[in-house]
Amino acid sequence: MYSKLDSPVYHALNEFHEKFCLHFGDTQFYTPEVAAFGGSAHVSGEKDITAYAKSCDDFLIFGAKPKTEQDLSRLVCDQYVLEKTIALDYTEKIIQLKEKDYEELFAFIAKFYPYYFKNRTPELGRYFGIFNEGKLVAVTGERMQMNDMTEVSAVITDTDYLGQGYAKQLVAHVSGKIQEDNKTPFLHVAESNAGAIKLYEKLGFRHRGKIEVWGIKR
């Protein structure tokens, strides 16, 4: 049922995010100003990687290990899907971030995850935040999107505000918005991130499997 999630980048760029697609050989890549990701329905080859590397020095391949002589880093992620509605009592006001908020959004992301966002990353989907005394303290948004599935991503809370349930409320809110679009929410989390995994499972996300993410630096 969720076989497209074996190659989520490839299928997102064949479907809802087609406008961001750069196609090299057997691999689909996001326009690098939007996201430095690539993926193939099968295996990405050396020619595909070399072609994309002309415009992007540092990028990720989701799925099967690429056939390349480049040095690769490897991250194993757990993949989760949400098949039910999350019942939750919200205590915080959640605001959809607009273009006027992007400067603060970029500064917030850069503080905790440098280089996570590209210049046009907010074009991927909607981003939501929680503010405390006018300061952005937690965000969550949408990343890869297919016609029937959307990824929950950028789940980030200011370290000074951890433990207040902000991430839980934001993930629930974003997931609800995705379900209102008649899509299934999914997400990726590093298999070593036990705290996040516990949160997602408590919210009702079901473990679908594992996916490898390969880092390439030219």
Side-chain angles (χ1 to χ4, degrees), residues 7-24 27-39 52 55-56 58-62 118 120-121 123-125 142-146 149 151 186:
S7 306
V9 175
Y10 179 85
H11 289 290
L13 290 170
N14 272 333
E15 297 181 5
F16 196 82
H17 276 168
E18 184 180 9
K19 65 182 178 181
F20 300 126
C21 181
L22 296 178
H23 191 121
F24 296 110
T27 308
Q28 311 272 45
F29 293 92
Y30 274 93
T31 302
E33 294 83 9
V34 176
F37 303 153
Y52 187 63
S55 59
C56 189
D58 188 350
F59 54 95
L60 302 173
I61 300 289
F62 282 70
K118 304 300 181 182
R120 295 173 54 198
T121 295
E123 295 180 30
L124 291 173
E142 300 168 327
R143 191 166 65 175
M144 289 181 265
Q145 296 198 53
M146 303 167 210
M149 291 181 276
E151 182 189 24
F186 71 98

Side-chain angles (χ1 to χ4, degrees), residues 43-93:
V43 179
S44 299
E46 187 73 69
K47 289 184 178 179
D48 308 354
I49 290 168
T50 300
Y52 187 63
K54 292 177 181 178
S55 59
C56 189
D57 291 341
D58 188 350
F59 54 95
L60 302 173
I61 300 289
F62 282 70
K65 183 178 182 180
K67 291 183 178 179
T68 177
E69 295 182 0
Q70 302 270 1
D71 290 333
L72 298 172
S73 62
R74 175 176 175 264
L75 174 68
V76 179
C77 289
D78 284 303
Q79 197 175 65
Y80 283 84
V81 295
L82 182 68
E83 298 173 314
K84 66 178 186 178
T85 302
I86 299 173
L88 190 69
D89 293 326
Y90 291 88
T91 62
E92 304 301 324
K93 182 178 181 180

Side-chain angles (χ1 to χ4, degrees), residues 134-153:
K135 174 186 175 182
L136 184 63
V137 296
V139 301
T140 299
E142 300 168 327
R143 191 166 65 175
M144 289 181 265
Q145 296 198 53
M146 303 167 210
N147 292 337
D148 55 351
M149 291 181 276
T150 297
E151 182 189 24
V152 179
S153 186

Side-chain angles (χ1 to χ4, degrees), residues 34 105-106 109 113-119 121-122 127 154:
V34 176
L105 172 63
F106 273 90
I109 298 292
Y113 289 91
Y115 314 114
Y116 186 85
F117 266 28
K118 304 300 181 182
N119 292 339
T121 295
Y127 287 83

